[in-house]
Amino acid sequence: MMSRKFFWTGTLTVAAAGLLTGALIADHLLHRPVRTTRAAWKEVYKAPGELVHRVDAIVLATAVDVQPGRIATSDNEEDVLRFQLVSFDVLRGLKGVDDGERITLERAVASNGGILLDFDGGDFEMGQHYLLFLKRQEDGSPYFYQVNDQGRFRIANDRLVAVARDDKVAAHFDQRTVREALALVRTNLRAQSPRVQ
């Protein structure tokens, strides 16, 4: 037969282990870091000419405004994806958009479950100039979306800074002066084949 002292020691040990485990799980759930996720892009381009030819718009533009956008939910309403609308004033419309137009880009910014969607380069800085390769929304809305991480460049000291610096297509534009980059886009637009670089 088990002694009373052994019984209470065992019971208290099991209870303490349970409380400690519960506290650790609760702390993890309350203080878990925000997770980032990697994008599975709809289209990824193999050459600069292909990028130039397959997008709907190419603009040198200034970010001027950001507003909350739509909230998309799954059929069972358990998964939520939030969007924002970023407005740009077009300084140079190289394809699909004219100089001086104001365009709006829709981008996913966060989902439930603590996932931050920063794979596209993160938030746009208001007043900052960007070279953007964009597609029109397929649902007929007036908004554009960033084609992928290959298609976003911040302008710093008159040079392009790529989001996807290790991508061979983005690297073709990365660190070029704005003038060189715009000339490269125009050359590719004049080319007959999207495979021409």
Side-chain angles (χ1 to χ4, degrees):
M1 189 159 217
M2 187 183 320
S3 75
R4 179 176 266 178
K5 182 177 180 183
F6 181 73
F7 171 78
W8 283 113
T9 302
T11 302
L12 290 174
T13 302
V14 169
L19 287 173
L20 180 60
T21 302
L24 289 173
I25 290 171
D27 183 65
H28 173 73
L29 291 174
L30 291 173
H31 298 102
R32 67 180 169 198
V34 173
R35 296 176 294 151
T36 58
T37 186
R38 299 189 73 162
W41 298 108
K42 181 177 177 180
E43 295 183 39
V44 176
Y45 305 108
K46 295 179 181 160
E50 183 183 11
L51 170 65
V52 168
H53 281 272
R54 298 209 25 214
V55 298
D56 297 319
I58 304 170
V59 297
L60 178 64
T62 306
V64 294
D65 188 46
V66 62
Q67 297 292 325
R70 65 189 168 106
I71 299 172
T73 58
S74 63
D75 290 340
N76 63 8
E77 298 185 4
E78 289 181 8
D79 297 312
V80 176
L81 183 59
R82 297 181 190 283
F83 290 83
Q84 68 179 195
L85 301 173
V86 185
S87 297
F88 293 87
D89 284 343
V90 177
L91 304 171
R92 296 268 176 85
L94 293 119
K95 180 181 180 182
V97 177
D98 293 326
D99 294 0
E101 279 190 54
R102 179 165 285 184
I103 62 169
T104 302
L105 182 149
E106 183 181 50
R107 63 180 290 266
V109 290
S111 76
N112 59 341
I115 298 175
L116 175 68
L117 304 173
D118 69 349
F119 45 74
D120 64 351
D123 291 337
F124 285 93
E125 181 183 333
M126 295 303 103
Q128 175 67 52
H129 299 316
Y130 296 90
L131 179 66
L132 301 169
F133 294 79
L134 306 172
K135 296 279 267 187
R136 286 193 181 277
Q137 293 284 15
E138 296 169 0
D139 62 3
S141 80
Y143 304 138
F144 290 89
Y145 64 92
Q146 185 177 311
V147 66
N148 59 37
D149 59 348
Q150 295 171 318
R152 177 173 166 179
F153 301 86
R154 185 173 52 85
I155 310 300
N157 298 319
D158 195 47
R159 292 194 176 272
L160 274 65
V161 179
V163 168
R165 299 195 83 176
D166 58 348
D167 177 83
K168 71 175 187 171
V169 173
H172 199 73
F173 294 96
D174 189 40
Q175 296 304 308
R176 290 187 187 265
T177 66
V178 171
R179 185 176 179 175
E180 291 170 337
L182 299 184
L184 182 60
V185 168
R186 288 187 191 106
T187 299
N188 279 287
L189 283 170
R190 286 191 297 265
Q192 293 297 317
S193 168
R195 291 186 182 87
V196 176
Q197 293 185 20

